[in-house]
Amino acid sequence: MPDDATPDPYADPIAFGQRVQILRTRRGMTRDQLGGLMGHSGSWVKGIETGRLKMPRLQVVLRLAEVLRVRNLADLTGDQSVHVDLFVGPGHPRLPAVRAAVDAFPLPTRDEPAPAAAHLAARLAHAWAARHTSPHHRDVVGALLPGLIQDAQTAVRQADTAAERRTAQAALSEVYSLSQFFLAYQPDGALLWRVAERGMVAAQESEDPHTIGVAAWLTAQAHRDSGPGHFDAADQVTTEALRYLTPLLPDADHEVLAIAGALTHEAGYTAARRGETGTAWRHWDQARTMAHCLPETYFHPVTSFSRAIMGAHAVTIAVELHAGGESVRQAAASDATTIPSRPRRARHRIEEARGYQLDGQPDVALATLAQAHEAAPETIKYNGYAKRIVLEETEAKSPDRRRRASALAVKLGLLAV
């Protein structure tokens, strides 16, 4: 090749350590922070990044992928033959139709009358109920969303009075909230953020406290899941939303009480991600007190906040704090069968499995993931934590464990049949 030719960017592939450094920097993490989350020191991370230490075994690589929120394992390893999506799914078949509905730019028209507010509310209630009861909730919700998005937008455009417009904006924000559940772990992060931002704007226009709280709850989650560099933004959203809602609580209905409780737990969740044990459990305890102000059978249709969910939340806090023994204790104290939502019950099983894995009980972790798959296959299929555990155990020393992990990997679409 001539000396002045454009160099081949793939001739000298990026080393594993360099990839770790790039991904760590992108997440806004220091070496000490990453090392702490990995159970090592900052100097260990430096050794990996500089090449002084060789590429670790699969178990450690998968743990790095989890901590760095790597979406495709090949992005971390550099081996394009290892194409495994971890924190994002392969893309649901209904994603293109939902994307098209979100991206559409409908102009004001009176050609088609807007649906009545009561009709939209009934359809949304049906959609939430379907999400909680169907094992294939993404497929069901994905089929409903395009029509809901179009009709809710039409209702806003054709509202004749300020009151009608606020009601329509509340419905539109709720549709966007439902859309965020469908878009989570799908391969279109920009679309998820577009929906989150539109949902927050519509909520603010609605001037409805419950709607504003739900939009804030989802926005805080989006920030937190974007990595440590966004934790401050997540805290700011929850803090501002709670500051707005708190004066209303003495006279609030169950929905507003529940969303305030859900936001309080979110603050604890983010604190747990930071490793702030005392703050995390303090927020959880406050949220539990708020849950006990609700009727025993109450279950919030969006956040799942309820008395029944607090045990599941305790497991998540312990897992995020990387406390294996405490995770197992909280799992034993919780009762997944009291959670009426299939996807939320499956998510709880996945969190329990993470706890068992942390506690050195991989066989129980696999059995718990099998329960998650039974509750809602479409939840575990798109969950990166579940995928990491399954992939790690496909290389276990125990032949029986390898067999069970491989069978579950096939069900999740991680391995060819």
Side-chain angles (χ1 to χ4, degrees), residues 372-395:
H373 187 270
E374 182 180 351
E378 285 196 339
T379 294
I380 186 172
K381 179 179 180 181
Y382 294 93
N383 187 281
Y385 298 116
K387 293 178 182 179
R388 179 185 65 82
I389 293 172
V390 171
L391 285 172
E392 183 176 316
E393 296 308 324
T394 58
E395 295 199 358

Side-chain angles (χ1 to χ4, degrees), residues 138-153:
R138 286 184 190 272
D139 192 58
V140 174
V141 171
L144 297 173
L145 277 174
L148 280 169
I149 293 169
Q150 179 180 352
D151 288 349
Q153 290 174 338

Side-chain angles (χ1 to χ4, degrees), residues 265-296:
H265 166 68
E266 283 304 306
Y269 196 154
T270 304
R273 282 273 177 94
R274 291 183 187 273
E276 298 171 351
T277 302
T279 302
W281 285 116
R282 176 171 56 83
H283 283 302
W284 176 85
D285 194 54
Q286 290 172 344
R288 180 180 59 175
T289 300
M290 298 169 81
H292 278 81
C293 293
L294 298 166
E296 186 173 359

Side-chain angles (χ1 to χ4, degrees), residues 111-373:
D111 292 345
E112 294 185 15
H119 178 65
L120 263 181
R123 287 166 61 189
L124 275 165
H126 168 71
W128 286 116
R131 178 183 180 272
H132 289 304
T133 57
S134 173
H136 303 288
H137 50 92
R138 286 184 190 272
D139 192 58
V140 174
V141 171
L144 297 173
L145 277 174
L148 280 169
I149 293 169
Q150 179 180 352
D151 288 349
Q153 290 174 338
T154 301
V156 170
R157 291 197 307 272
Q158 295 189 11
D160 291 322
T161 67
E164 288 178 354
R165 185 175 181 82
R166 286 194 296 270
T167 299
Q169 290 281 21
L172 179 60
S173 181
E174 188 175 347
V175 170
Y176 285 137
S177 295
L178 183 65
S179 301
Q180 284 178 257
F181 280 93
F182 174 84
L183 293 172
Y185 306 119
Q186 295 294 299
D188 197 335
L191 181 63
L192 176 65
W193 271 108
R194 249 185 346 269
V195 167
E197 290 168 354
R198 291 184 189 181
M200 180 61 83
V201 171
Q204 291 169 331
E205 291 291 329
S206 77
E207 301 180 11
D208 176 67
H210 175 254
T211 304
I212 291 171
V214 169
W217 181 77
L218 284 163
T219 301
Q221 289 192 346
H223 279 300
R224 186 186 62 240
D225 289 344
S226 295
H230 296 258
F231 287 172
D232 287 347
D235 284 335
Q236 184 177 5
V237 171
T238 52
T239 299
E240 290 298 321
L242 286 169
R243 183 179 292 123
Y244 164 69
L245 291 172
T246 298
L248 308 176
L249 296 184
D251 301 314
D253 58 19
H254 293 155
E255 285 192 330
V256 174
L257 286 172
I259 194 59
L263 283 162
T264 302
H265 166 68
E266 283 304 306
Y269 196 154
T270 304
R273 282 273 177 94
R274 291 183 187 273
E276 298 171 351
T277 302
T279 302
W281 285 116
R282 176 171 56 83
H283 283 302
W284 176 85
D285 194 54
Q286 290 172 344
R288 180 180 59 175
T289 300
M290 298 169 81
H292 278 81
C293 293
L294 298 166
E296 186 173 359
T297 58
Y298 178 84
F299 191 81
H300 190 263
V302 181
T303 67
S304 299
F305 191 78
S306 58
R307 295 190 192 186
I309 209 67
M310 292 313 300
H313 284 336
V315 174
T316 296
I317 293 293
V319 167
E320 292 295 342
L321 289 168
H322 306 287
E326 182 64 21
S327 302
V328 171
R329 284 190 291 274
Q330 293 294 345
S334 64
D335 184 1
T337 62
T338 63
I339 302 174
S341 168
R342 293 184 74 127
R344 189 59 186 85
R345 191 159 65 247
R347 165 72 187 281
H348 174 48
R349 292 299 192 194
I350 293 168
E351 295 295 281
E352 287 184 321
R354 293 177 67 194
Y356 287 121
Q357 189 80 352
L358 281 170
D359 197 48
Q361 301 185 52
D363 288 302
V364 184
L366 281 178
T368 308
L369 288 179
Q371 291 178 308
H373 187 270

